Amino acid sequence: MPGRRAGVVSSARLRPIKGTERCERRRAAIRALQQAVERFADATAFIPSASAAQFSNPQQYEGQTVSVSGKITLYHGKPEIIVTSPAQISAQ
């Protein structure tokens, strides 16, 4: 790393986390997760034309609640998951 000498070991003083601080961090993490879920709750599942042949009957999902797995990306500011395999979709 620039500015460091070879053979020199750095150390940092760590302080223990108090019980209340640990709880507050946990609450903050849960709030952040809840906000992320709310933000992406209305994500669109998109099947590209190159993958359409793998889906023999995509209308079978119409009107059903489905779970879709995959990477969430933003398309025109809205969340979407690109579905390239039927294994990414499960009807409930």
Side-chain angles (χ1 to χ4, degrees), residues 5-20:
R5 295 183 306 206
V8 175
V9 177
S10 298
S11 65
R13 182 177 284 188
L14 302 175
R15 65 176 178 80
I17 298 174
K18 295 178 182 171
T20 55

Side-chain angles (χ1 to χ4, degrees), residues 8-9 13-15 18 20 22 28-29 31 35 45 47 52 55-56 62 64 66-67 69 71-72 76 79 88:
V8 175
V9 177
R13 182 177 284 188
L14 302 175
R15 65 176 178 80
K18 295 178 182 171
T20 55
R22 183 176 295 138
R31 278 193 301 270
Q35 289 171 349
I47 302 172
F55 298 86
S56 59
E62 192 171 329
Q64 293 188 29
V66 296
S67 294
S69 62
K71 182 179 179 183
I72 299 173
H76 293 290
Q88 290 179 262

Side-chain angles (χ1 to χ4, degrees), residues 45-52 55 58 61 81-84 89:
F46 172 70
I47 302 172
S49 59
S51 302
F55 298 86
Y61 303 115
I81 299 174
I82 298 175
V83 181
T84 57
I89 302 175

